[in-house]
């Protein structure tokens, strides 16, 4: 994206400006009215008296916009209203073909301007795509969002820029089709992002994966004409505050046909380029952490392949020996994501991590349970760790719903001939999938995020847009940076 967040001491005259106003205001503050003629002040005052949360004032050469803080049940929901106001603002700026906007915070919420800018930036995201007509290739008019004075510090603006670049990077990866982003190309894109941001990348090829005996990843890859990859991303600054690393694991199925257990095409296989959204989120998070030089040691693991029914594709009834040594009976080749993740989770244990978090578009059951509005979370981390992640989820509005991981659910994954089956019962599929993963990360604090619902949207939704949303990047960045002493 060619959109820049900046800090400005003042806003020039005759420039497009946005003023964030306090909750319940009915009189226009002098700081927002300095350049307005009497008729304009009267118009805005009438709109405020009418309790309009968004007011536009067109001077033809430039515009003024007024965003009023809304009363919500929680401070987090008030911030979310500001992100949505950023989306509304983007529509107005796009209509006027505005190139730069200056944002003032006249409210008593110090995070207001940054949050509005966040919603505006995310709304402005457009996937570059592959259209060739001139209109489609014309860049967006908006190129700069400047936060004025004490609306935010220059350091805060830069930090937010890098986080949102991480989200845009993740969205780009999710939106790319498999013929433009196979497993090797995904690994290369993650490596290029590391070069730009400062994290290191080690890409394990087929020979190395075979030598490690990652039976899950290798089995899923059997039907593909292209080899798998296993990317290890590492951000380890000299001033890292944690003795043991945080490890993030992201599912990297670059396309999922379902394998021999073939998916139906409409509203299913046709959008399965998004099945690597977990891996994309890991890449976006590492990018943001490294770019902002966050003093934490964080490792990202992204096992990647496509899942196809060709060649020597694995079949229902096969028994796999995993990296951990456990055996798995394949009941359904469309339950492939857990096989990749199982190998990666076992591999993660060698780092003796402080905490492992995996992200995956894993089950339709999670979507049926909570829709696209949230992700499911389960795991074995300490309750206070889970509570911190849930709090970060509310602050970023990448909300999580915690589900139980009771021992009873282990029965769902029993096999008559192997240690585990890769498919559970029809009920509670997102929980039994997590219970399967738990066997491969025993003894290590772990949280599993099933992001199948919000990772990819088939219709536009406010600042989350349409297509890849970059779910997980803002959440994990918020959570991890709050772990600093």
């Amino acid at each position: 994206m060619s959109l820049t967040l900046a800090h400005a001491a003042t806003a020039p005259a005759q420039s497009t400006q946005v003023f964030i106003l306090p909750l319940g205001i009915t009189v226009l503050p002098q700081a927002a009215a300095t350049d307005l003629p009497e008729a304009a002040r009267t118009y805005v005052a009438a709109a405020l008296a009418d309790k309009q949360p968004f007011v536009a004032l067109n001077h033809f050469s430039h515009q003024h916009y007024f965003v009023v803080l809304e009363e919500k049940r929680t401070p987090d929901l008030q911030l979310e209203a500001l992100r949505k106001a950023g989306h509304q603002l983007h529509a107005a700026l796009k209509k006027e073909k505005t190139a730069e906007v200056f944002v003032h915070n006249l409210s008593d919420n110090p995070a207001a301007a940054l949050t509005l800018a966040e919603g505006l930036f995310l709304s402005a995201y457009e996937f570059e795509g592959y259209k060739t007509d001139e209109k489609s290739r014309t860049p967006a008019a908006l190129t700069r969002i400047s936060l004025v004075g004490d609306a935010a510090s220059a350091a805060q603006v830069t930090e937010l820029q890098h986080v949102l670049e991480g989200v845009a990077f993740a969205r780009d990866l999710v939106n790319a089709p498999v013929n433009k982003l196979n497993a090797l190309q995904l690994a290369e894109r993650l490596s290029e992002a590391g070069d730009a941001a400062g994290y290191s990348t080690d890409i394990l090829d087929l020979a190395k994966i075979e030598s490690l005996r990652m039976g899950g990843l290798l089995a899923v890859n059997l039907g593909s004409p292209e080899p798998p990859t296993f990317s290890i991303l590492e951000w380890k600054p000299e001033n890292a505050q944690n003795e043991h690393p945080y490890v993030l694991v992201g599912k990297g199925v670059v396309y999922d046909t379902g394998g021999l257990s073939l998916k139906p095409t409409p509203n299913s296989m046709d959008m399965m380029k998004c099945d690597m959204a977990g891996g994309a989120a890991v890449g976006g998070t590492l990018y943001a952490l490294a770019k902002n030089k966050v003093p934490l040691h964080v490792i990202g693991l992204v096992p990647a392949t496509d899942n196809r029914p060709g060649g020597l594709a694995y079949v229902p009834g096969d028994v796999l020996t995993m990296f951990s040594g456990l055996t798995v009976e394949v009941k359904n080749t469309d339950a492939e994501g857990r096989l990749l993740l199982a190998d990666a989770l076992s591999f993660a244990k060698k780092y003796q991590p402080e905490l492992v978090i995996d992200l995956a578009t894993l089950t339709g059951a999670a979507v049926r349970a909570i829709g696209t509005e949230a992700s499911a979370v389960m795991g074995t981390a300490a309750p206070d760790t889970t509570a911190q992640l849930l709090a970060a989820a509310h602050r970023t509005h990448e909300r999580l719903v915690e589900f139980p991981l009771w021992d009873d659910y282990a029965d769902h994954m029993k096999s008559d001939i192997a240690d585990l089956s890769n498919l559970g019962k029809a009920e509670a599929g997102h929980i039994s999938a997590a219970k399967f993963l738990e066997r491969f990360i025993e003894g290590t604090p772990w949280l599993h995020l099933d992001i199948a619902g919000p990772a990819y949207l088939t219709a536009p939704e406010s600042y989350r847009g349409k297509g890849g949303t970059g779910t997980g990047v803002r959440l994990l960045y918020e959570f991890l940076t709050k772990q600093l002493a």
Side-chain angles (χ1 to χ4, degrees):
M1 285 181 67
S2 57
L3 180 56
T4 301
L5 290 174
H7 180 268
T10 60
Q14 303 281 302
S15 60
T16 294
Q17 301 180 49
V18 182
F19 297 89
I20 303 174
L21 305 179
L23 176 70
I25 191 170
T26 56
V27 178
L28 190 63
Q30 184 60 34
T34 304
D35 299 329
L36 300 185
E38 187 60 35
R41 296 184 193 189
T42 302
Y43 170 80
V44 176
L48 294 177
D50 194 36
K51 297 184 178 180
Q52 296 180 26
F54 185 89
V55 183
L57 192 59
N58 194 343
H59 302 288
F60 299 106
S61 62
H62 61 285
Q63 291 75 39
H64 282 173
Y65 301 98
F66 303 87
V67 175
V68 183
L69 288 189
E70 297 185 53
E71 186 172 5
K72 297 293 181 180
R73 287 186 294 106
T74 68
D76 293 334
L77 289 176
Q78 187 178 74
L79 292 178
E80 176 62 7
L82 281 166
R83 293 186 193 96
K84 290 182 176 178
H87 175 71
Q88 187 176 3
L89 174 62
H90 176 257
L93 296 173
K94 186 176 182 179
K95 179 181 178 182
E96 299 296 338
K97 298 182 179 178
T98 302
E100 182 173 12
V101 61
F102 293 83
V103 181
H104 306 258
N105 184 15
L106 305 183
S107 78
D108 56 0
N109 188 331
L114 286 165
T115 307
L116 180 79
E118 181 180 14
L120 175 54
F121 188 105
L122 292 173
S123 297
Y125 169 84
E126 292 181 357
F127 180 57
E128 186 175 327
Y130 310 99
K131 292 183 178 180
T132 58
D133 61 287
E134 186 175 346
K135 183 178 179 181
S136 297
R137 308 304 296 176
T138 302
L142 184 65
T143 58
R144 194 175 185 88
I145 305 168
S146 295
L147 279 64
V148 179
D150 59 2
S153 69
Q156 288 175 313
V157 172
T158 299
E159 180 182 25
L160 179 60
Q161 170 88 38
H162 294 154
V163 173
L164 298 180
E165 286 174 351
V167 176
F169 172 59
R171 287 181 174 186
D172 282 347
L173 294 177
V174 174
N175 287 327
V178 68
N179 69 328
K180 304 293 184 183
L181 194 79
N182 60 24
L184 179 58
Q185 290 165 324
L186 172 61
E188 290 171 345
R189 290 285 299 275
L190 292 171
S191 180
E192 290 166 2
D195 292 341
Y199 65 77
S200 63
T201 309
D202 184 17
I203 302 172
L204 308 186
D205 61 10
L206 174 60
K208 183 64 175 177
I209 294 168
E210 287 178 332
S211 71
L212 291 171
R213 299 182 180 179
M214 291 186 171
L217 176 55
L218 290 167
V220 178
N221 179 251
L222 281 172
S224 173
E226 297 169 329
T229 59
F230 190 101
S231 297
I232 304 171
L233 323 178
E234 185 168 18
W235 168 242
K236 189 177 183 180
E238 292 183 0
N239 62 339
Q241 294 187 13
N242 50 325
E243 181 180 354
H244 300 282
Y246 293 93
V247 178
L248 309 178
V249 178
K251 175 184 172 183
V253 176
V254 291
Y255 193 80
D256 183 18
T257 67
L260 286 171
S261 305
L262 201 66
K263 293 177 181 289
T265 296
N267 301 313
S268 181
M269 196 201 301
D270 54 354
M271 65 185 78
M272 279 300 105
K273 65 181 183 180
C274 75
D275 215 18
M276 36 62 68
V282 169
T285 304
L286 265 291
Y287 176 93
L289 292 167
K291 200 75 173 174
N292 285 326
K293 302 189 185 307
V294 174
L296 284 175
H297 182 197
V298 181
I299 295 169
L301 305 177
V302 183
T305 181
D306 53 320
N307 181 28
R308 299 191 194 228
L312 297 173
Y314 75 132
V315 304
D318 280 355
V319 174
L320 314 177
T321 301
M322 309 295 283
F323 173 77
S324 68
L326 289 173
T327 56
V328 175
E329 179 187 8
V330 176
K331 294 281 186 70
N332 189 309
T333 64
D334 194 23
E336 87 297 332
R338 64 199 67 183
L339 300 176
L340 277 71
L341 290 173
D343 281 342
L345 290 173
S346 300
F347 188 85
K349 294 172 70 172
K350 78 169 194 168
Y351 296 106
Q352 298 182 324
E354 182 78 22
L355 173 69
V356 175
I357 301 177
D358 79 74
L359 303 91
T361 48
L362 203 61
T363 67
V367 186
R368 290 188 291 274
I370 51 180
T372 62
E373 287 77 10
S375 301
V377 61
M378 293 148 277
T380 60
D384 62 332
T385 301
T386 305
Q388 290 173 43
L389 186 65
L390 291 170
H394 282 294
R395 284 194 297 272
T396 58
H397 209 72
E398 294 194 346
R399 294 170 296 180
L400 300 173
V401 177
E402 186 177 8
F403 285 86
L405 204 59
W406 299 325
D407 290 343
D408 313 57
Y409 291 108
D411 291 342
H412 291 217
M413 308 306 292
K414 283 185 175 179
S415 165
D416 292 335
I417 61 172
D419 296 320
L420 291 162
S421 163
N422 81 324
L423 189 69
K425 300 178 181 179
E427 302 82 18
H430 54 309
I431 301 176
S432 57
K435 202 66 184 172
F436 175 90
L437 295 177
E438 183 187 22
R439 288 291 302 274
F440 298 88
I441 192 67
E442 288 176 345
T444 300
W446 159 74
L447 288 168
H448 162 63
L449 275 60
D450 192 331
I451 62 173
Y456 189 87
L457 302 178
T458 56
E461 184 187 309
S462 188
Y463 63 88
R464 293 203 295 171
K466 181 180 179 180
T469 61
T471 288
V473 176
R474 293 186 302 117
L475 166 61
L476 291 179
Y477 185 87
E478 175 71 17
F479 169 75
L480 289 169
T481 52
K482 288 294 186 292
Q483 305 308 305
L484 295 170

